[in-house]
Amino acid sequence: MNKHIKSLALLQRLIAFDTTSYKSNIELINQIQQLLEQYQIDVQLNFNQDKTKANLFASTGPVGEAGILLSGHSDVVPVAGQQWDTPAFSAVIKQDRVYGRGTADMKGFLACAIHAMLDASQCQLKRPLQLCISYDEEIGCIGVRGILQHLSETLKPPLVCVIGEPTMMQMALAHKGKTVYQARCCGEEGHSALAPRFVNAIHVAGQLIQSLQQTQQYIALQGQQDHGYDIPYSTIHVGKISGGMALNIVPNQCIVDYEIRNLAQDSSAEIQHLIFDQISEDYQSHIEINQVNEYPGLKTSPTVQAVEFIQQLLPSETTQANISFGTEGGLFQNAMNCPVIVCGPGDIAVAHKPNEYVSLDQLQQCEIFLEKLVATITA
Ligand SMILES: [Zn+2]
């Protein structure tokens, strides 16, 4: 017999919406809004420009007090090209696990968090319980930025923000940030027999790549270290390069895609300056660098009160660790000026893959955690 998981029926409804990032999430958001409003919970939506996607913010309890903020994203990664044993957009329960796209990342948490909101709405609260659901997280934490400015202007900084990304209900206090760059290295085309007369775009790219490696070495030896990570320093990586048309033409263009994954205490902009400064001046003017995307790192001090507060609500064996993947946590930390903790049901190791699942046990652990959390703010 299955454990009684009260969020399960809602999770099944959420999984049925195909909210792959490039699609609309409006139907899912409308369902959640209706459900919350049935319980007289105040809901605000924040739309993208063409109104095909929305962030949702909900609050229950006294207005104007510092609250507890639960946060998750509504979008999921594509299933195209993946071999699933069950239909990806239908929650299938097999042997104490719920299978389906987004069960771990992160509709399992959303279902538990929405239930916690409904339960909290039936209680006399001393402080508000708040819920933020974003869109377009999976493509670079894009959507949440649209609502964070508004929340930062209208809300008191929460006591704590819990991001429910899958950590197997362990506490994560830090992850690296990421900045993605595309460099367009320019040269001039010419007959290769006269090659020295022309600037070779691939040679320019070669200097850039050399500088990426040199800067990485420098950071590894001289930069800040956090031994909570497998790689304890900020990393630099070139992942794609394309240039040149034919061997007998001096290439006029070479595109280099690279990234910086920075410790929260390092600035990716400063690292980018180090990279650029090492390129010879005559080549610098041949490189045009575009920042494609960025999200900040997260670093919550283990000594802040919020960490102890959350730790008490979790099983005593709960660990505090850094995570290797990014979240919206750094954006919340910067915008809301509050401690941020990542803690949610399911395993990141099964996310983004076929046959993604969350165990019923994880869902139950999350429900128990959120019940205890609500109890702390109940009068
Ligand atoms: Zn996620």
Side-chain angles (χ1 to χ4, degrees):
M1 189 57 209
N2 286 336
K3 298 181 166 78
H4 180 67
I5 310 290
K6 59 186 175 179
S7 313
L8 194 55
L10 178 57
L11 174 57
Q12 289 179 300
R13 279 163 66 191
L14 299 182
I15 295 297
F17 292 100
D18 175 358
T19 51
T20 306
S21 304
Y22 66 88
K23 296 185 175 177
S24 169
N25 74 340
I26 294 290
E27 282 181 46
L28 172 132
I29 290 292
N30 284 345
Q31 279 249 342
I32 296 172
Q33 179 180 21
Q34 275 172 25
L35 178 59
L36 293 167
E37 286 180 346
Q38 278 167 20
Y39 285 74
Q40 277 72 50
I41 296 170
D42 179 55
V43 177
Q44 300 168 38
L45 299 189
N46 163 264
F47 291 90
N48 67 345
Q49 227 168 14
D50 52 5
K51 304 230 160 164
T52 53
K53 297 177 187 184
N55 297 304
L56 177 148
F57 176 74
S59 181
T60 183
V63 181
E65 301 282 342
I68 291 176
L69 176 57
L70 307 177
S71 165
H73 60 82
S74 62
D75 59 319
V76 296
V77 296
V79 297
Q82 297 187 348
Q83 291 293 319
W84 282 71
D85 297 336
T86 57
F89 293 104
S90 131
V92 176
I93 302 169
K94 278 195 302 186
Q95 291 163 340
D96 288 337
R97 290 174 175 177
V98 190
Y99 289 85
R101 171 58 85 229
T103 44
D105 188 10
M106 54 183 293
K107 290 175 174 174
F109 175 79
L110 288 187
C112 295
I114 293 164
H115 259 284
M117 290 291 291
L118 303 184
D119 289 346
S121 73
Q122 306 302 298
C123 302
Q124 192 70 37
L125 298 181
K126 295 180 288 191
R127 294 181 174 280
L129 185 68
Q130 298 154 333
L131 173 66
C132 183
I133 302 178
S134 66
Y135 64 88
D136 283 357
E137 188 273 347
E138 294 288 4
I139 53 174
C141 303
I142 307 283
V144 75
R145 296 168 206 245
I147 197 169
L148 274 177
Q149 165 120 32
H150 170 71
L151 294 183
S152 69
E153 286 163 3
T154 52
L155 294 186
K156 277 206 173 156
L159 297 183
V160 61
C161 170
V162 178
I163 310 266
E165 291 277 358
T167 62
M168 290 299 281
M169 294 305 296
Q170 305 299 308
M171 280 173 92
L173 303 181
H175 63 70
K176 291 179 183 176
K178 179 166 106 165
T179 309
V180 176
Y181 299 92
Q182 182 168 79
R184 204 163 75 90
C185 304
C186 300
E188 14 167 18
E189 56 277 88
H191 197 294
S192 61
L194 306 173
R197 287 194 187 160
F198 307 102
V199 176
N200 182 320
I202 294 179
H203 292 181
V204 178
Q207 266 219 14
L208 169 63
I209 292 165
Q210 197 180 17
S211 175
L212 294 174
Q213 289 179 280
Q214 283 168 351
T215 309
Q216 176 67 93
Q217 266 170 2
Y218 170 77
I219 289 171
L221 295 171
Q222 310 279 334
Q224 309 213 54
Q225 307 268 325
D226 180 342
H227 289 279
Y229 292 105
D230 288 340
I231 310 280
Y233 46 83
S234 297
T235 61
I236 301 170
H237 159 79
V238 55
K240 200 176 160 200
I241 172 167
S242 61
M245 294 302 290
L247 183 57
N248 58 2
I249 306 173
V250 177
N252 68 351
Q253 180 169 279
C254 184
I255 306 284
V256 180
D257 292 317
Y258 65 98
E259 65 174 33
I260 298 171
R261 289 181 182 258
N262 61 297
L263 300 177
Q265 52 271 45
D266 275 350
S267 149
S268 60
E270 274 173 33
I271 294 173
Q272 172 56 28
H273 277 301
L274 288 177
I275 292 167
F276 203 70
D277 284 350
Q278 288 188 74
I279 299 167
S280 62
E281 261 177 50
D282 51 331
Y283 271 9
Q284 280 179 357
S285 61
H286 289 270
I287 304 177
E288 186 187 301
I289 293 174
N290 288 308
Q291 184 179 308
V292 178
N293 186 250
E294 69 79 36
Y295 62 78
L298 172 68
K299 177 97 182 137
T300 300
S301 163
T303 59
V304 296
Q305 215 183 355
V307 172
E308 195 192 330
F309 167 68
I310 296 291
Q311 178 83 58
Q312 283 172 354
L313 308 175
L314 291 163
S316 56
E317 66 273 17
T318 304
T319 59
Q320 296 175 12
N322 296 351
I323 44 177
S324 57
F325 59 97
T327 75
E328 296 169 336
L331 291 168
F332 273 94
Q333 191 168 49
N334 295 347
M336 303 305 294
N337 194 22
C338 69
V340 173
I341 286 157
V342 186
C343 181
D347 190 346
I348 194 68
V350 303
H352 299 203
K353 302 214 298 193
N355 306 319
E356 176 181 353
Y357 69 87
V358 66
S359 71
L360 296 177
D361 181 61
Q362 281 288 300
L363 290 173
Q364 191 175 46
Q365 280 193 41
C366 186
E367 285 187 350
I368 292 168
F369 162 63
L370 292 175
E371 271 167 27
K372 289 184 180 172
L373 189 63
V374 171
T376 64
I377 54 171
T378 302

